[in-house]
Amino acid sequence: MFLSLLLAGFLTFVELNCENMFDCRHDSLKQDYEWLPEGKRHWTPARYWRKLNHIGQEILSCQEEGVPDLVALVEVENDSCLFDLTRRSLLRNAGYEYLMTESPDERGIDVALLYQPLTFRPICYDYLDIQPLATMNPTRDILYVEGETLSGDTLHVFIVHAPSRFGGEKHTRANRQLVADRLLAAVQLLPPAAKVIIAGDFNDDATAPALRHLENSGLHNVTATATGSQGAKGTYRYQGFWQSIDHIFVSRSLTGHVKRAFIHDAPFLLEEDKKYGGVKPFRTFNGYRYQRGFSDHLPLVVRFSF
């Protein structure tokens, strides 16, 4: 079945915010103290390995046959985490390779791309740095990867983790606009017919000015109205309200290749929302209370046909 999917030209793209995939070791250049065994979260090796296996299980569950071809990951700390995830967790037999950024983010979190060498061959990659405004902290670089699919198509993939709304949405709006502008500057350097995928946690919903700016510039948000089969109406839930702050955009040249876009809300990724009713993502931490879950975000899945 998996081979037939490859030969038919299908490609599955997943985006997932991992909710703080940190290892248990201190990086002397970063503020990662709470993610140490003696830190506020008591982040022990046992919890770390459970986290990796949970993320691996989550990724594998996004596709019934085989494994997703490309996986954009947000909130991963370093190369050690990605090595452990792809070589020593439940994903160890999946065959993934990876590329990731090394950003100036003060906590040390970055973005990464997992890829299947059988169906996607990287040609080049780069980091797009964000020169912070005077009022903002250093933020995550944008990962850019150009690669060739099994069908012979060239994809230009950008992975984003935009600045948060901490301090207020209006007060921090310019920070996310800065990231959108940096993205568009890079996209506009590509050929007009280039096949572009932009994915990540934008910390904004589809109606926000920064995301509207992307759409007005010719990109299409294929997950703006995505829902899940178990009742999820967004990738994130805050105080009882579903929010879609994770997004996948494509260029006009790719819109005709999108066959399906949805939120993967498998039952094991959800828990009862006892305060507000319904369900919510089964996260690793609720505040500082460890609850052995997966992530506070649900995965986005887009299936392409070439």
Side-chain angles (χ1 to χ4, degrees):
M1 178 63 178
F2 182 44
L3 182 59
S4 65
L5 289 174
L6 297 180
L7 295 177
F10 289 106
L11 182 142
T12 301
F13 189 104
V14 172
E15 184 276 340
L16 172 64
N17 183 315
C18 299
E19 187 196 355
N20 297 308
M21 187 194 291
F22 280 81
D23 63 20
C24 305
R25 297 180 295 273
H26 175 51
D27 184 337
S28 61
L29 301 177
K30 302 296 182 181
Q31 300 296 319
D32 60 357
Y33 296 102
E34 65 179 299
W35 298 100
L36 301 176
E38 63 276 15
K40 293 180 180 179
R41 297 184 184 272
H42 306 289
W43 194 239
T44 62
R47 291 182 174 185
Y48 169 64
W49 285 105
R50 183 179 291 116
K51 177 73 171 183
L52 292 182
N53 283 320
H54 275 178
I55 294 299
Q57 180 184 357
E58 192 165 357
I59 291 169
L60 293 173
S61 71
C62 288
Q63 184 158 308
E64 293 182 2
E65 298 288 342
V67 297
D69 302 278
L70 296 170
V71 184
L73 295 180
V74 176
E75 287 195 12
V76 294
E77 184 186 16
N78 52 36
D79 181 85
S80 295
C81 293
L82 269 295
F83 180 87
D84 288 342
L85 177 68
T86 57
R87 301 296 189 270
R88 303 174 70 189
S89 78
L90 286 177
L91 283 185
R92 61 186 177 275
N93 294 321
Y96 281 114
E97 300 292 341
Y98 63 87
L99 297 165
M100 71 177 301
T101 56
E102 181 60 43
S103 302
D105 178 86
E106 293 176 344
R107 291 198 303 144
I109 56 175
D110 283 286
V111 300
L113 178 71
L114 307 186
Y115 65 91
Q116 285 290 324
L118 181 63
T119 58
F120 183 82
R121 181 180 64 85
I123 297 170
C124 66
Y125 76 99
D126 201 356
Y127 311 151
L128 307 182
D129 63 319
I130 309 296
Q131 295 299 320
L133 301 173
T135 56
M136 64 183 285
N137 294 324
T139 191
R140 281 73 59 173
D141 292 344
I142 300 168
L143 178 62
Y144 165 68
V145 182
E146 177 186 358
E148 185 179 11
T149 68
L150 190 64
S151 61
D153 291 274
T154 298
L155 297 181
H156 301 268
V157 181
F158 297 84
I159 303 176
V160 180
H161 186 189
S164 75
R165 295 187 175 195
F166 184 75
E169 188 278 327
K170 288 186 178 180
H171 181 70
T172 58
R173 186 179 295 174
N175 302 345
R176 292 181 294 281
Q177 184 65 54
L178 181 68
V179 171
D181 291 340
R182 184 72 175 91
L183 262 173
L184 286 175
V187 170
Q188 289 166 357
L189 292 176
L190 300 174
K195 295 181 173 67
V196 178
I197 302 174
I198 300 173
D201 180 350
F202 289 79
N203 274 304
D204 264 331
D205 63 34
T207 63
L211 273 63
R212 287 291 192 191
H213 184 44
L214 294 178
E215 291 214 88
N216 292 337
S217 300
L219 297 166
H220 179 50
N221 188 345
V222 295
T223 57
T225 59
T227 59
S229 61
Q230 303 298 319
K233 298 178 182 178
T235 56
Y236 184 77
R237 202 167 196 235
Y238 180 68
Q239 294 184 350
F241 293 96
W242 285 105
Q243 300 177 358
S244 287
I245 57 177
D246 302 275
H247 304 274
I248 299 177
F249 290 81
V250 302
S251 55
R252 288 195 181 99
S253 55
L254 266 183
T255 53
H257 296 277
V258 176
K259 296 306 175 186
R260 190 184 177 199
F262 62 96
I263 297 169
H264 181 58
D265 60 346
F268 72 90
L269 298 177
L270 303 171
E271 65 173 336
E272 180 186 1
D273 191 334
K274 295 180 180 179
K275 184 174 182 179
Y276 296 103
V279 294
K280 61 182 180 180
F282 183 24
R283 57 194 300 166
T284 304
F285 278 90
N286 187 356
Y288 282 95
R289 180 171 62 83
Y290 179 64
Q291 56 177 27
R292 304 168 67 97
F294 290 77
S295 175
D296 56 350
H297 291 240
L298 295 171
L300 284 174
V301 183
V302 176
R303 194 171 184 192
F304 296 91
S305 176
F306 292 101

